[in-house]
Amino acid sequence: VQVAESGGGEVQVGGSLRLSCAASGFPFSRNDMSWVRRAPGEDLEWVSAINGDGVVIYYADSVKGRFTISRDNAKNMLYLQMNSLKSEDTAVYYCAPGGTAASTTRYTWGQGTQVTVSS
């Protein structure tokens, strides 16, 4: 399993970012995928999940209505559109195969991408 996250950066409160995850080494289209994040000094937190065909989607309450997860199975890509960013969204974001908090927050697969939201 290989994943590579990108798209992070520093934005001001209320701003937007779009994260991308390039996946390889496993049957991407047949796997649920998630975004998870780790804030400074905190454990991994599950953020959002999408099933293999992109029909079933879940969000953590903390991001519901602000973040949108999507995928492009033809390109083996996972995305996270983040709008109305808050300072508490500051974290390293990771993508992970799996669709639940239990299956995606034990360890990270890629290097992650840093998101910093400043006021």
Side-chain angles (χ1 to χ4, degrees), residues 79-98:
Y79 304 101
L80 187 68
Q81 177 67 43
M82 306 187 297
N83 298 328
S84 302
L85 283 161
K86 304 177 180 180
S87 57
E88 51 262 45
D89 295 319
T90 295
V92 180
Y93 285 71
Y94 304 87
C95 63

PDB file of all heavy atoms in Angstrom, residues 79-98:
ATOM      1  N   TYR A  79      -9.744  12.867  -2.578  1.00  0.00           N
ATOM      2  CA  TYR A  79      -9.679  14.308  -2.352  1.00  0.00           C
ATOM      3  C   TYR A  79     -10.420  14.696  -1.076  1.00  0.00           C
ATOM      4  O   TYR A  79     -11.312  14.000  -0.617  1.00  0.00           O
ATOM      5  CB  TYR A  79     -10.312  15.057  -3.529  1.00  0.00           C
ATOM      6  CG  TYR A  79      -9.711  14.718  -4.865  1.00  0.00           C
ATOM      7  CD1 TYR A  79     -10.352  13.844  -5.739  1.00  0.00           C
ATOM      8  CD2 TYR A  79      -8.492  15.271  -5.264  1.00  0.00           C
ATOM      9  CE1 TYR A  79      -9.807  13.527  -6.959  1.00  0.00           C
ATOM     10  CE2 TYR A  79      -7.935  14.953  -6.487  1.00  0.00           C
ATOM     11  CZ  TYR A  79      -8.595  14.079  -7.334  1.00  0.00           C
ATOM     12  OH  TYR A  79      -8.040  13.754  -8.544  1.00  0.00           O
ATOM     13  N   LEU A  80     -10.032  15.854  -0.544  1.00  0.00           N
ATOM     14  CA  LEU A  80     -10.758  16.455   0.569  1.00  0.00           C
ATOM     15  C   LEU A  80     -10.805  17.953   0.330  1.00  0.00           C
ATOM     16  O   LEU A  80      -9.779  18.633   0.421  1.00  0.00           O
ATOM     17  CB  LEU A  80     -10.101  16.137   1.911  1.00  0.00           C
ATOM     18  CG  LEU A  80     -10.897  16.600   3.134  1.00  0.00           C
ATOM     19  CD1 LEU A  80     -12.179  15.776   3.266  1.00  0.00           C
ATOM     20  CD2 LEU A  80     -10.051  16.474   4.415  1.00  0.00           C
ATOM     21  N   GLN A  81     -11.977  18.450   0.006  1.00  0.00           N
ATOM     22  CA  GLN A  81     -12.193  19.886  -0.122  1.00  0.00           C
ATOM     23  C   GLN A  81     -12.540  20.432   1.247  1.00  0.00           C
ATOM     24  O   GLN A  81     -13.519  19.980   1.862  1.00  0.00           O
ATOM     25  CB  GLN A  81     -13.314  20.180  -1.124  1.00  0.00           C
ATOM     26  CG  GLN A  81     -13.645  21.650  -1.261  1.00  0.00           C
ATOM     27  CD  GLN A  81     -12.528  22.452  -1.895  1.00  0.00           C
ATOM     28  OE1 GLN A  81     -11.920  22.011  -2.864  1.00  0.00           O
ATOM     29  NE2 GLN A  81     -12.243  23.634  -1.353  1.00  0.00           N
ATOM     30  N   MET A  82     -11.760  21.374   1.718  1.00  0.00           N
ATOM     31  CA  MET A  82     -11.958  21.939   3.052  1.00  0.00           C
ATOM     32  C   MET A  82     -12.296  23.415   2.934  1.00  0.00           C
ATOM     33  O   MET A  82     -11.473  24.199   2.447  1.00  0.00           O
ATOM     34  CB  MET A  82     -10.702  21.744   3.895  1.00  0.00           C
ATOM     35  CG  MET A  82     -10.229  20.295   3.952  1.00  0.00           C
ATOM     36  SD  MET A  82      -8.866  20.052   5.098  1.00  0.00           S
ATOM     37  CE  MET A  82      -7.620  21.076   4.337  1.00  0.00           C
ATOM     38  N   ASN A  83     -13.476  23.786   3.352  1.00  0.00           N
ATOM     39  CA  ASN A  83     -13.926  25.176   3.323  1.00  0.00           C
ATOM     40  C   ASN A  83     -14.172  25.676   4.739  1.00  0.00           C
ATOM     41  O   ASN A  83     -14.264  24.885   5.682  1.00  0.00           O
ATOM     42  CB  ASN A  83     -15.212  25.285   2.510  1.00  0.00           C
ATOM     43  CG  ASN A  83     -15.037  24.872   1.062  1.00  0.00           C
ATOM     44  OD1 ASN A  83     -13.969  25.046   0.478  1.00  0.00           O
ATOM     45  ND2 ASN A  83     -16.091  24.335   0.470  1.00  0.00           N
ATOM     46  N   SER A  84     -14.281  26.971   4.872  1.00  0.00           N
ATOM     47  CA  SER A  84     -14.558  27.588   6.174  1.00  0.00           C
ATOM     48  C   SER A  84     -13.628  27.035   7.246  1.00  0.00           C
ATOM     49  O   SER A  84     -14.065  26.643   8.340  1.00  0.00           O
ATOM     50  CB  SER A  84     -16.016  27.355   6.558  1.00  0.00           C
ATOM     51  OG  SER A  84     -16.886  27.875   5.593  1.00  0.00           O
ATOM     52  N   LEU A  85     -12.369  27.023   6.941  1.00  0.00           N
ATOM     53  CA  LEU A  85     -11.401  26.424   7.861  1.00  0.00           C
ATOM     54  C   LEU A  85     -11.312  27.178   9.173  1.00  0.00           C
ATOM     55  O   LEU A  85     -11.432  28.407   9.218  1.00  0.00           O
ATOM     56  CB  LEU A  85     -10.030  26.344   7.194  1.00  0.00           C
ATOM     57  CG  LEU A  85      -9.896  25.199   6.187  1.00  0.00           C
ATOM     58  CD1 LEU A  85      -8.728  25.436   5.237  1.00  0.00           C
ATOM     59  CD2 LEU A  85      -9.733  23.871   6.909  1.00  0.00           C
ATOM     60  N   LYS A  86     -11.120  26.421  10.242  1.00  0.00           N
ATOM     61  CA  LYS A  86     -10.997  26.969  11.590  1.00  0.00           C
ATOM     62  C   LYS A  86      -9.602  26.661  12.127  1.00  0.00           C
ATOM     63  O   LYS A  86      -8.930  25.750  11.642  1.00  0.00           O
ATOM     64  CB  LYS A  86     -12.040  26.320  12.503  1.00  0.00           C
ATOM     65  CG  LYS A  86     -13.473  26.460  12.030  1.00  0.00           C
ATOM     66  CD  LYS A  86     -14.423  25.714  12.961  1.00  0.00           C
ATOM     67  CE  LYS A  86     -15.872  25.841  12.504  1.00  0.00           C
ATOM     68  NZ  LYS A  86     -16.795  25.122  13.410  1.00  0.00           N
ATOM     69  N   SER A  87      -9.205  27.380  13.139  1.00  0.00           N
ATOM     70  CA  SER A  87      -7.877  27.157  13.716  1.00  0.00           C
ATOM     71  C   SER A  87      -7.742  25.730  14.242  1.00  0.00           C
ATOM     72  O   SER A  87      -6.671  25.133  14.179  1.00  0.00           O
ATOM     73  CB  SER A  87      -7.596  28.160  14.824  1.00  0.00           C
ATOM     74  OG  SER A  87      -8.600  28.087  15.825  1.00  0.00           O
ATOM     75  N   GLU A  88      -8.834  25.164  14.704  1.00  0.00           N
ATOM     76  CA  GLU A  88      -8.788  23.804  15.229  1.00  0.00           C
ATOM     77  C   GLU A  88      -8.654  22.745  14.136  1.00  0.00           C
ATOM     78  O   GLU A  88      -8.516  21.555  14.439  1.00  0.00           O
ATOM     79  CB  GLU A  88     -10.006  23.496  16.107  1.00  0.00           C
ATOM     80  CG  GLU A  88     -11.333  23.811  15.470  1.00  0.00           C
ATOM     81  CD  GLU A  88     -11.874  25.167  15.908  1.00  0.00           C
ATOM     82  OE1 GLU A  88     -11.082  26.141  15.927  1.00  0.00           O
ATOM     83  OE2 GLU A  88     -13.084  25.244  16.202  1.00  0.00           O
ATOM     84  N   ASP A  89      -8.699  23.149  12.876  1.00  0.00           N
ATOM     85  CA  ASP A  89      -8.440  22.219  11.773  1.00  0.00           C
ATOM     86  C   ASP A  89      -6.944  22.051  11.514  1.00  0.00           C
ATOM     87  O   ASP A  89      -6.542  21.221  10.698  1.00  0.00           O
ATOM     88  CB  ASP A  89      -9.121  22.695  10.491  1.00  0.00           C
ATOM     89  CG  ASP A  89     -10.641  22.696  10.592  1.00  0.00           C
ATOM     90  OD1 ASP A  89     -11.200  21.742  11.169  1.00  0.00           O
ATOM     91  OD2 ASP A  89     -11.261  23.659  10.096  1.00  0.00           O
ATOM     92  N   THR A  90      -6.127  22.848  12.178  1.00  0.00           N
ATOM     93  CA  THR A  90      -4.682  22.734  12.024  1.00  0.00           C
ATOM     94  C   THR A  90      -4.212  21.345  12.435  1.00  0.00           C
ATOM     95  O   THR A  90      -4.467  20.897  13.555  1.00  0.00           O
ATOM     96  CB  THR A  90      -3.963  23.790  12.874  1.00  0.00           C
ATOM     97  OG1 THR A  90      -4.281  25.088  12.364  1.00  0.00           O
ATOM     98  CG2 THR A  90      -2.456  23.585  12.844  1.00  0.00           C
ATOM     99  N   ALA A  91      -3.571  20.652  11.497  1.00  0.00           N
ATOM    100  CA  ALA A  91      -3.147  19.271  11.738  1.00  0.00           C
ATOM    101  C   ALA A  91      -2.382  18.773  10.525  1.00  0.00           C
ATOM    102  O   ALA A  91      -2.372  19.427   9.472  1.00  0.00           O
ATOM    103  CB  ALA A  91      -4.358  18.367  11.970  1.00  0.00           C
ATOM    104  N   VAL A  92      -1.761  17.630  10.678  1.00  0.00           N
ATOM    105  CA  VAL A  92      -1.236  16.890   9.530  1.00  0.00           C
ATOM    106  C   VAL A  92      -2.344  15.944   9.083  1.00  0.00           C
ATOM    107  O   VAL A  92      -2.895  15.205   9.901  1.00  0.00           O
ATOM    108  CB  VAL A  92       0.034  16.114   9.883  1.00  0.00           C
ATOM    109  CG1 VAL A  92       0.536  15.354   8.659  1.00  0.00           C
ATOM    110  CG2 VAL A  92       1.110  17.052  10.407  1.00  0.00           C
ATOM    111  N   TYR A  93      -2.662  15.995   7.802  1.00  0.00           N
ATOM    112  CA  TYR A  93      -3.747  15.193   7.248  1.00  0.00           C
ATOM    113  C   TYR A  93      -3.175  14.007   6.473  1.00  0.00           C
ATOM    114  O   TYR A  93      -2.235  14.152   5.694  1.00  0.00           O
ATOM    115  CB  TYR A  93      -4.620  16.044   6.332  1.00  0.00           C
ATOM    116  CG  TYR A  93      -5.522  16.982   7.099  1.00  0.00           C
ATOM    117  CD1 TYR A  93      -5.007  18.086   7.760  1.00  0.00           C
ATOM    118  CD2 TYR A  93      -6.898  16.754   7.186  1.00  0.00           C
ATOM    119  CE1 TYR A  93      -5.823  18.937   8.499  1.00  0.00           C
ATOM    120  CE2 TYR A  93      -7.732  17.601   7.897  1.00  0.00           C
ATOM    121  CZ  TYR A  93      -7.184  18.685   8.554  1.00  0.00           C
ATOM    122  OH  TYR A  93      -8.001  19.532   9.278  1.00  0.00           O
ATOM    123  N   TYR A  94      -3.788  12.855   6.691  1.00  0.00           N
ATOM    124  CA  TYR A  94      -3.370  11.615   6.050  1.00  0.00           C
ATOM    125  C   TYR A  94      -4.570  10.947   5.386  1.00  0.00           C
ATOM    126  O   TYR A  94      -5.697  11.018   5.901  1.00  0.00           O
ATOM    127  CB  TYR A  94      -2.817  10.631   7.071  1.00  0.00           C
ATOM    128  CG  TYR A  94      -1.683  11.135   7.905  1.00  0.00           C
ATOM    129  CD1 TYR A  94      -1.913  11.838   9.088  1.00  0.00           C
ATOM    130  CD2 TYR A  94      -0.356  10.886   7.543  1.00  0.00           C
ATOM    131  CE1 TYR A  94      -0.859  12.290   9.875  1.00  0.00           C
ATOM    132  CE2 TYR A  94       0.699  11.326   8.321  1.00  0.00           C
ATOM    133  CZ  TYR A  94       0.442  12.027   9.484  1.00  0.00           C
ATOM    134  OH  TYR A  94       1.489  12.462  10.257  1.00  0.00           O
ATOM    135  N   CYS A  95      -4.308  10.272   4.292  1.00  0.00           N
ATOM    136  CA  CYS A  95      -5.338   9.406   3.737  1.00  0.00           C
ATOM    137  C   CYS A  95      -5.002   7.968   4.113  1.00  0.00           C
ATOM    138  O   CYS A  95      -3.841   7.629   4.353  1.00  0.00           O
ATOM    139  CB  CYS A  95      -5.470   9.552   2.230  1.00  0.00           C
ATOM    140  SG  CYS A  95      -4.021   9.071   1.287  1.00  0.00           S
ATOM    141  N   ALA A  96      -6.030   7.153   4.175  1.00  0.00           N
ATOM    142  CA  ALA A  96      -5.830   5.782   4.629  1.00  0.00           C
ATOM    143  C   ALA A  96      -6.859   4.866   4.008  1.00  0.00           C
ATOM    144  O   ALA A  96      -8.034   5.248   3.883  1.00  0.00           O
ATOM    145  CB  ALA A  96      -5.938   5.717   6.152  1.00  0.00           C
ATOM    146  N   PRO A  97      -6.477   3.658   3.639  1.00  0.00           N
ATOM    147  CA  PRO A  97      -7.467   2.671   3.225  1.00  0.00           C
ATOM    148  C   PRO A  97      -8.282   2.241   4.437  1.00  0.00           C
ATOM    149  O   PRO A  97      -7.740   2.027   5.515  1.00  0.00           O
ATOM    150  CB  PRO A  97      -6.620   1.518   2.677  1.00  0.00           C
ATOM    151  CG  PRO A  97      -5.272   1.694   3.271  1.00  0.00           C
ATOM    152  CD  PRO A  97      -5.099   3.149   3.557  1.00  0.00           C
ATOM    153  N   GLY A  98      -9.604   2.155   4.229  1.00  0.00           N
ATOM    154  CA  GLY A  98     -10.491   1.805   5.328  1.00  0.00           C
ATOM    155  C   GLY A  98     -11.566   2.848   5.487  1.00  0.00           C
ATOM    156  O   GLY A  98     -11.403   3.993   5.059  1.00  0.00           O
TER     157      GLY A  98
END
